[in-house]
């Protein structure tokens, strides 16, 4: 029987060189793609960081300036109320009452103009009612802006990219607390008119970032390579990802939003009221309740208890560091705000720093810790743990508790929105891509109702809390709260 001999092929040298050259080109192409991914992710992260920073910084400046914006006899909780009620209205009305595709460009320009107008009204008018009106305008803009940026993150795919956006947005909101508190610490010497007036130019950063820095969702048409994705996003259980279609370049011209139905292939696509209730119902106890509770406790501490955590001005002898920071009893409240905002920034940046997200079952834990902190600080304000002769120990205790408060608050915020952005889609519902996209936008937008409700509740509780704690201090002979 004939058996074929083993076949040996000798390739010419030029063909071998061609294969090696092709392999080298493939490696170079891979490196170029990795470099492109890193650049896009850096731009995306920086953009959402700036969105969070600028959108929230005015809100923090208003809270930090509460003592300077109202007469001494006016409870500071009224500032918190006017700073959150319009924001809450925006977070409720837009996702729940209006429908259709979101026009992000028009929303963000409107938010920028409204924020600037609000801060100018606060700066230019001395009347309490006009200042409260200006605060309300800026608050509405901040609430609508936060809702819009969180919804904007859902337009990026795969979910790890959306989570990347949320992580950096949360980091920016945390930085806003630190920057806002620090800015007012520095600017308050200039007075309300100049200090608040200078801050009114900050919203202009948002449209500049949106138009010139933020990558388009279509830039992420090709998936991030798995190795690099693992580096930027903690591993999560597999979920059903949203089928991705690149957005039109002129989405604001041919899209839908808020009841407008221009001509186009997606005409009439919008979530119904029953769709929204079906989407929101599973989120109530899983995400909304923990978020509402921790915001209630957190802002009751900040607006109702912190203004009463006052101690004598420290002497240089024995308190050399604290005496450089505290020059009058009015300095304690901005100091507590600065400590709180610094720790919020660190904890809200946990995911962007590469730390793993909290397991969903632990999301209520920060709220329980916040409640314990509230009780301890209320007791310290009303009764005191160490007595008048050991005020330095009291200051140290308050410092540590407010730091823990900020850490818990930041972790709760970033982890709730991160987990919502990774929620799987219901495979049994409408499979239209535009419908699925609006489902993602609504789900993350609906959560804002919870944190806004918590802050509004806290602003209502803060007024009687501050008054009663001050009465308790006066009753034991501590009159510092009367001097603010």
């Amino acid at each position: 029987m004939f058996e074929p001999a083993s076949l040996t092929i000798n390739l010419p040298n030029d063909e071998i060189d061609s294969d090696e050259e092709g392999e080298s080109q493939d490696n170079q192409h891979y490196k170029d793609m990795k470099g492109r991914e890193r650049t896009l992710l850096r731009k995306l992260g920086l953009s959402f960081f700036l969105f969070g920073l600028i959108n929230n910084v005015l809100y923090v400046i208003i809270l930090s300036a509460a003592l300077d914006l109202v007469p001494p006899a006016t409870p500071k909780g009224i500032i918190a109320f006017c700073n959150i009620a319009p924001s809450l209205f925006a977070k409720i009305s837009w996702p729940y009452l209006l429908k259709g595709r979101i026009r992000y460009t028009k929303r963000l320009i409107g938010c920028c103009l409204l924020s600037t107008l609000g801060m100018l009204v606060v700066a230019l008018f001395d009347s309490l009612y006009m200042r409260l009106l200006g605060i309300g305008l800026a608050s509405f803009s901040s609430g609508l802006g936060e809702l819009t940026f969180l919804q904007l993150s859902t337009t990026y795919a795969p979910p790890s990219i959306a989570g990347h956006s949320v992580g950096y947005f949360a980091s920016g909101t945390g930085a806003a607390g630190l920057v806002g508190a620090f800015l007012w610490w520095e600017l308050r010497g200039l007075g309300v008119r100049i200090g608040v007036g200078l801050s009114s130019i900050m919203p202009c950063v948002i449209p500049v970032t949106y138009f010139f820095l933020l990558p388009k969702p279509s830039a992420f048409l090709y998936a991030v390579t798995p190795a690099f994705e693992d580096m930027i996003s903690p591993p999560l259980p597999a979920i059903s990802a949203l089928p991705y279609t690149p957005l039109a370049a002129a989405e604001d011209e041919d899209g839908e939003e808020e009841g407008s139905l221009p001509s186009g292939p997606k005409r009439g696509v919008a979530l119904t009221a029953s769709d929204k209730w079906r989407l929101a119902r599973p989120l109530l106890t899983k995400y909304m309740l923990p978020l509402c509770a921790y915001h209630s406790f957190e802002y009751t501490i900040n607006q109702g208890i912190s203004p009463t955590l006052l101690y004598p001005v420290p002497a240089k002898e024995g308190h050399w560091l604290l005496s450089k920071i505290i020059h009058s009893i009015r300095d304690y409240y901005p100091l507590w705000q600065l400590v709180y905002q610094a720790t919020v920034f660190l904890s809200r940046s946990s995911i962007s720093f590469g730390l793993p997200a909290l397991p969903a079952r632990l999301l209520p834990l920060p709220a329980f810790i916040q409640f314990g902190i509230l009780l301890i600080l209320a007791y310290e304000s009303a009764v005191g743990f160490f007595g008048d002769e050991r005020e330095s120990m009291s200051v140290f205790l308050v410092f540590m508790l407010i730091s823990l408060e900020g850490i818990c608050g930041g972790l709760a915020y970033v982890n709730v929105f991160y987990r919502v952005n990774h929620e799987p889609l219901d495979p049994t519902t409408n499979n239209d891509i535009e419908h699925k996209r609006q489902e993602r936008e609504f789900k993350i937008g609906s959560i804002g109702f919870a944190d806004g409700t918590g802050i509004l509740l806290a602003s209502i509780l803060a007024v009687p809390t501050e008054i009663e704690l001050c009465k308790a201090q006066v009753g034991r002979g501590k009159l510092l709260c009367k001097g603010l």
Side-chain angles (χ1 to χ4, degrees), residues 268-284:
V269 176
L271 300 179
T272 64
S274 60
D275 288 334
K276 293 180 178 181
W277 171 240
R278 172 181 54 81
L279 293 170
R281 186 172 51 197
L283 308 179
L284 288 173

Side-chain angles (χ1 to χ4, degrees), residues 60-73:
V60 177
I61 287 175
I62 292 297
L63 290 182
S64 300
L67 290 177
D68 303 285
L69 293 177
V70 299

Side-chain angles (χ1 to χ4, degrees), residues 168 230-235 349-357:
Y168 275 89
D230 291 342
M231 292 169 58
I232 64 166
S233 178
S349 302
S350 59
I351 290 178
S352 60
F353 287 162
L355 298 177

Side-chain angles (χ1 to χ4, degrees), residues 124-275:
L124 297 178
F125 293 91
D126 295 327
S127 165
L128 174 62
Y129 296 105
M130 288 302 294
R131 285 185 174 178
L132 294 180
L133 173 63
I135 292 171
L137 293 174
S139 168
F140 184 88
S141 172
S142 177
L144 182 58
E146 181 174 2
L147 168 69
T148 302
F149 292 126
L150 289 170
Q151 291 178 322
L152 179 62
S153 73
T154 67
T155 65
Y156 290 85
S160 60
I161 302 298
H164 183 75
S165 305
V166 168
Y168 275 89
F169 178 78
S171 180
T173 61
L178 184 60
V179 171
F182 178 77
L183 277 178
W184 189 249
W185 182 277
E186 296 296 324
L187 293 177
R188 63 197 178 113
L190 300 175
V192 170
R193 189 175 299 273
I194 297 177
V196 176
L198 289 174
S199 68
S200 66
I201 64 174
M202 299 182 72
C204 297
V205 174
I206 287 178
V208 173
T209 301
Y210 181 75
F211 287 114
F212 299 106
L213 180 62
L214 178 69
K216 298 293 183 184
S218 56
F220 295 92
L221 177 61
Y222 300 101
V224 177
T225 53
F228 189 67
E229 181 178 340
D230 291 342
M231 292 169 58
I232 64 166
S233 178
L236 287 171
I239 62 174
S240 301
L242 172 65
Y244 179 61
T245 299
L247 299 180
E251 64 184 41
D252 288 320
E253 283 71 31
D254 63 8
E256 303 171 23
E257 183 198 15
E258 283 109 44
S260 65
L261 298 174
S263 60
K266 297 301 180 185
R267 179 182 178 92
V269 176
L271 300 179
T272 64
S274 60
D275 288 334

Side-chain angles (χ1 to χ4, degrees), residues 60-69 76 177-189 302-303 305-310 322 325-342 398-399 402 484:
V60 177
I61 287 175
I62 292 297
L63 290 182
S64 300
L67 290 177
D68 303 285
L69 293 177
K76 306 332 163 269
L178 184 60
V179 171
F182 178 77
L183 277 178
W184 189 249
W185 182 277
E186 296 296 324
L187 293 177
R188 63 197 178 113
N302 291 345
Q303 301 303 312
I305 300 178
S306 289
T308 67
L309 295 172
L310 305 171
L322 193 59
I325 302 173
I326 302 298
H327 303 288
S328 73
I329 60 170
R330 293 176 66 88
D331 291 337
Y332 279 105
Y333 180 74
L335 175 63
W336 303 142
Q337 290 295 307
L338 189 60
V339 171
Y340 162 76
Q341 299 295 353
V398 172
F399 177 88
I402 289 182
L484 292 178

